Amino acid sequence: EVRLAESGGGLVQPGESLRLSCAASGITVINNYVHWVRQAPGKGLEWVAVVYTAGSTYYTDSVKGRFSVSRDSSKNTVSLHMDNMRVEDTGLYYCARGQGGLYDWGQGTLVTVSS
Amino acid sequence: DIQMTQSPSSLSASVGDRVTITCHATQDISVNLNWYHHKPGTAPKLLIYDASNLQTGVPSRFSGSGSGTDFSFTIANLQPEDVGTYYCQQYDILPPYTFGQGTKVEI
């Protein structure tokens, strides 16, 4: 059974950094496209970033230069490093896997950016 | 970047009704479109991939169609457990893989 589990969420102030982790079981992260998707309070789903099997990474415009995705094959995890955070980065962050459709998702971790 | 316009933003229907949601892309995305169902407190669930393919285990009352820039998603015989928000998502050649704004379905 495939399981994705996010962790690392919390309360930070604007300008601070946070690192989210997505721990995978039942799959090998380096053999999968792993995405980050977020949902701000009262808003819809927003695609944030992806790491391809070859290691290429892509980001939505609003996080380019501030967020980065990395993988740790020894721990079978994918991390989302978030720097210079903004109030508008507040939301529930999900990791998900899939090359076309996102067919496995974690339950999400909550990030709050507030002074 | 490709933008997705989904409509309606919300709808109310009765059990047994047929419900249709549409999604328009700002450029040709072939059939690179997915549909998801999301309920509060749960992870989104993939229902349809590649515009018209039913994900394994998803009931056959859900269907999708379209190609290019215009797509539709239909729930035939709406059931109480179908309440929630539905999203389209495009995954063209390169990211970002944008979602539509969502359609909230109520009974």
Side-chain angles (χ1 to χ4, degrees):
Chain A
E1 180 188 2
V2 175
R3 183 168 180 265
L4 300 174
E6 304 90 342
S7 61
L11 172 64
V12 296
Q13 295 188 347
E16 293 186 337
S17 300
L18 197 63
R19 188 186 79 170
L20 306 183
S21 289
C22 174
S25 57
I27 61 165
T28 303
V29 294
I30 61 172
N31 292 334
N32 285 271
Y33 286 26
V34 178
H35 303 250
W36 288 92
V37 175
R38 67 185 179 185
Q39 183 175 34
K43 302 296 185 181
L45 299 176
E46 179 186 22
W47 181 87
V48 175
V50 64
V51 56
Y52 286 174
T53 52
S56 306
T57 55
Y58 297 89
Y59 305 90
T60 192
D61 285 348
S62 63
V63 309
K64 283 180 182 175
R66 301 188 300 119
F67 290 14
S68 63
V69 178
S70 63
R71 301 181 300 188
D72 185 332
S73 57
S74 66
K75 296 180 180 178
N76 207 30
T77 60
V78 175
S79 294
L80 180 66
H81 305 262
M82 304 184 291
D83 294 325
N84 189 22
M85 296 188 71
R86 303 170 181 170
V87 170
E88 54 266 34
D89 295 323
T90 294
L92 186 61
Y93 283 70
Y94 297 97
C95 63
R97 72 147 179 163
Q99 189 162 342
L102 305 185
Y103 44 85
D104 288 312
W105 294 68
Q107 290 302 307
T109 186
L110 185 62
V111 172
T112 303
V113 185
S114 175
S115 55
Chain B
D1 295 346
I2 299 171
Q3 305 301 318
M4 306 301 295
T5 303
Q6 192 175 332
S7 62
S9 57
S10 66
L11 64 91
S12 181
S14 300
V15 172
D17 281 356
R18 182 181 184 90
V19 167
T20 297
I21 299 167
T22 63
C23 197
H24 175 77
T26 53
Q27 64 189 66
D28 190 335
I29 57 170
S30 184
V31 293
N32 297 329
L33 185 101
N34 307 311
W35 291 95
Y36 300 86
H37 179 213
H38 190 205
K39 290 184 174 182
T42 70
K45 179 182 178 182
L46 177 66
L47 301 177
I48 301 287
Y49 65 94
D50 294 349
S52 62
N53 293 299
L54 198 65
Q55 176 69 357
T56 303
V58 173
S60 59
R61 65 179 181 274
F62 297 98
S63 64
S65 66
S67 66
T69 60
D70 292 296
F71 302 85
S72 65
F73 170 82
T74 297
I75 309 172
N77 188 19
L78 187 70
Q79 296 299 300
E81 60 267 31
D82 298 337
V83 297
T85 304
Y86 292 82
Y87 297 90
C88 61
Q89 182 209 21
Q90 65 82 19
Y91 60 98
D92 199 39
I93 298 173
L94 283 179
Y97 297 142
T98 43
F99 286 90
Q101 307 96 313
T103 297
K104 186 174 184 179
V105 173
E106 299 176 319
I107 291 179

